[in-house]
Amino acid sequence: MKTRVCKTALLALALAFGSQPAIAQNGGALTSKIELEKLTPTAEGQPPAKSYAAPDVVVPGDRVRITLTFTNGGAAPAAGVNIVNPIPDGLVFDGTDDRKDFTVSVDGGKTFGALAALMVTGTGTAPRTATAGDVTHVRWLWTETVAPGRTRSVAFFGKVK
């Protein structure tokens, strides 16, 4: 089976907050969608309801969801799909609900692992455990194939700086 490697860069996220073109190889296509999280009050004692919509304006502290959708346009199942997305300068990584096959990088995309297992070393400081604010890239390296003509989506969240 062929390995599909897909990368997308949402470089203008802080300025544009719109869908950005993505790079895909080997018959696959990767698209992205950016949405602002809105909280709606509910009954007393209940957590607010979350909804997502294309943002008109964002301000520091807003939470956005970036959804990445891979479409297998090839004739064979796509195996080993690798989606890597840098965290744009205007955002701080704020988690994902799609934890299967998920890792992060804190060194500019050179190495990936579980956030709790990564260390950061500053100039003249002792190594420390990485935090969400240190994340530079997110990655999904799917262990399951994507059938021809099918799609699969994952998402991560960011807080606007």
Side-chain angles (χ1 to χ4, degrees), residues 60-88:
D62 280 349
R63 189 171 195 237
V64 296
R65 176 175 68 184
I66 296 93
T67 302
L68 306 169
T69 301
F70 174 81
T71 302
N72 181 2
V81 174
N82 183 26
I83 297 175
V84 178
N85 200 108
I87 304 298

Side-chain angles (χ1 to χ4, degrees), residues 7-151:
K7 294 184 179 183
T8 184
L10 302 173
L11 300 177
L13 177 64
L15 300 174
F17 279 99
S19 294
Q20 299 294 319
I23 300 169
Q25 299 173 344
N26 302 327
L30 187 64
T31 58
S32 61
K33 178 171 59 172
I34 302 161
E35 299 168 296
L36 178 64
E37 182 176 280
K38 296 182 180 186
L39 301 177
T40 305
T42 57
E44 190 173 323
Q46 299 295 319
K50 293 179 185 177
S51 63
Y52 297 91
D56 293 324
V57 176
V58 295
V59 297
D62 280 349
R63 189 171 195 237
V64 296
R65 176 175 68 184
I66 296 93
T67 302
L68 306 169
T69 301
F70 174 81
T71 302
N72 181 2
V81 174
N82 183 26
I83 297 175
V84 178
N85 200 108
I87 304 298
D89 288 338
L91 290 181
V92 173
F93 174 70
D94 196 31
T96 182
D97 293 333
D98 298 309
R99 289 184 172 80
K100 182 173 174 40
D101 302 324
F102 178 75
T103 54
V104 298
S105 175
V106 296
D107 63 3
K110 295 175 190 166
T111 59
F112 288 85
L115 181 58
L118 298 176
M119 301 296 288
V120 175
T121 304
T123 305
T125 62
R128 63 172 174 78
T129 302
T131 66
D134 298 314
V135 174
T136 62
H137 291 72
V138 295
R139 178 179 77 174
W140 287 268
L141 181 54
W142 291 338
T143 54
E144 297 175 4
T145 61
V146 179
R150 302 299 295 229
T151 63

